[in-house]
Structures are given as structure tokens and as C-alpha cells.
Amino acid sequence: MAQSHVQESRHDHPDMEEVRTFGFWIYLMTDVIIFGTLFATYIVLRHNTDGGPGAADLFQINGIIASTFILLTSSYTCGLAVLAMHKKKVRALLSWLGVTALLGAVFLGLEITEFVHLTDEGASIGTSAFLSAFFTLVGTHGIHVLFGLVWIVALIIQLSRRGITPVTTRKVNIISLFWHFLDVVWIFVFTIVYLMGVS
């Protein structure tokens, strides 16, 4: 009788790890809306240069291609981390998460370098509506990458202390989804902002 009651109690209460994962999906949908709005704003304002420099005058496409390759590679290493987790290989999981964080940090460093270079050239966020939209869109993506890096480092620390548990498994799956999402957003940034800008 008691065992039956326990089984019913487990059945009645949802798995909190699944609930938290569902909550993350809701958050991700709000991010889709935010980036969708920023992309729409950029597309409307991309020709409003106020007589100043436009995308073709400012963007150095070779550096952007390198940044894109680095971020896409980090998505691959993040996938390898998830595979290592499913195989219960803690050391490989930690290693691949570390490589992912390193590549993400290099990408972020290149993005900051680009912003500094543009600002030194007199193309700041207040120069024109085009640049305001550009800095806001690309900068928002960069802030998300920074948040992801902090998240990965915190997760590496937790995994090194607790190992692979249901909680850390959920967190690895969620950061993987988040990181792949950032890659997808960057592909749109690369295409709409940079490729269309220099063509």
C-alpha cells in the first residue's frame, strides 16, 4: 500500500529537471523574439548612414569569416562535450567544454577588437542610425556569448566537483542548446549584416 502511494506521488509530481528544461525553452523563445526585432530594425535602418560610412566602407570580411569559423567550431566542440557526457566520460566532457569556452572567448575578443577599431575610425553607435542598429544587434549577440562563457565556466567547476548527475546533465544539455542557438543567430548576422553589407 505504501509503495503504491509512493508511485502515485511520483506520478502526480512532474520531474523538476524536465520543468526547468521547459522553462529554458520558454526563455529561448523570448530570445528569438528579441533577435527577430533587432534584425528587423537593422534591415530597416541599414541604409540610414546620415552621409557617413556604410557597411561596405567599414566591414573587413576576412576577419568576420575567421570569427564565424571559430564560433562554428565551438559549436562542434560543444556537441562533442554532450557526446562525452552521454558516454559518462567526465574528463572528456570537461576538456571539450574548456575548448568550447576558449573558442568562444577568442570569438568575443575578435568582436570587441572590431568594435574598438570601428570606434577609432569614428564609426560609433551614435554616428548614424545604421551604426546604432549594427552595434545593438551585434553587441546583443556578444553579450549572450559572454553570458554563455560565464555559464560554461561555472558548469565546468560544478562538474569537476559533482561529476555527471541528473542536474549537471540537464545543465550541459541546456548550455549546448543555448550555444547552438547563438551559432544560428550568428549565421543570420553574418549573412544579413556582413555579406549583404559588403555585396
Side-chain angles (χ1 to χ4, degrees), residues 147-163:
F147 175 72
L149 289 176
V150 174
W151 192 352
I152 290 173
V153 171
L155 187 53
I156 288 173
I157 294 171
Q158 188 174 27
L159 282 164
S160 63
R161 292 177 178 175
R162 300 183 183 178

Side-chain angles (χ1 to χ4, degrees), residues 26-43:
I26 293 175
Y27 157 74
L28 210 57
M29 291 304 102
T30 63
D31 250 8
V32 170
I33 294 170
I34 290 170
F35 278 108
T37 303
L38 293 177
F39 275 113
T41 303
Y42 176 82
I43 290 170

Side-chain angles (χ1 to χ4, degrees), residues 160-181:
S160 63
R161 292 177 178 175
R162 300 183 183 178
I164 299 173
T165 67
V167 173
T168 55
T169 296
R170 169 183 56 83
K171 290 180 178 180
V172 171
N173 285 327
I174 286 177
I175 189 60
S176 176
L177 287 171
F178 181 73
W179 203 255
H180 293 318
F181 169 74

Side-chain angles (χ1 to χ4, degrees), residues 114-134:
E114 179 194 20
F115 279 12
V116 171
H117 172 73
L118 291 176
T119 303
D120 288 343
E121 294 291 320
S124 67
I125 193 170
T127 302
S128 65
F130 152 66
L131 285 168
S132 294
F134 165 77

Side-chain angles (χ1 to χ4, degrees), residues 68-183:
T68 302
F69 177 76
I70 289 169
L71 192 62
L72 292 179
T73 302
S74 76
S75 187
Y76 176 71
T77 59
C78 189
L80 292 176
V82 173
L83 289 176
M85 178 187 68
H86 289 313
K87 294 178 180 179
K88 305 297 183 184
K89 297 180 178 179
V90 179
R91 185 173 296 178
L93 169 58
L94 292 171
S95 297
W96 286 122
L97 284 177
V99 172
T100 301
L102 178 61
L103 291 171
V106 172
F107 169 84
L108 192 60
L110 291 173
E111 189 170 284
I112 292 171
T113 301
E114 179 194 20
F115 279 12
V116 171
H117 172 73
L118 291 176
T119 303
D120 288 343
E121 294 291 320
S124 67
I125 193 170
T127 302
S128 65
F130 152 66
L131 285 168
S132 294
F134 165 77
F135 277 104
T136 302
L137 171 58
V138 180
T140 299
H141 179 268
I143 290 171
H144 278 71
V145 172
L146 177 60
F147 175 72
L149 289 176
V150 174
W151 192 352
I152 290 173
V153 171
L155 187 53
I156 288 173
I157 294 171
Q158 188 174 27
L159 282 164
S160 63
R161 292 177 178 175
R162 300 183 183 178
I164 299 173
T165 67
V167 173
T168 55
T169 296
R170 169 183 56 83
K171 290 180 178 180
V172 171
N173 285 327
I174 286 177
I175 189 60
S176 176
L177 287 171
F178 181 73
W179 203 255
H180 293 318
F181 169 74
L182 293 183
D183 275 17

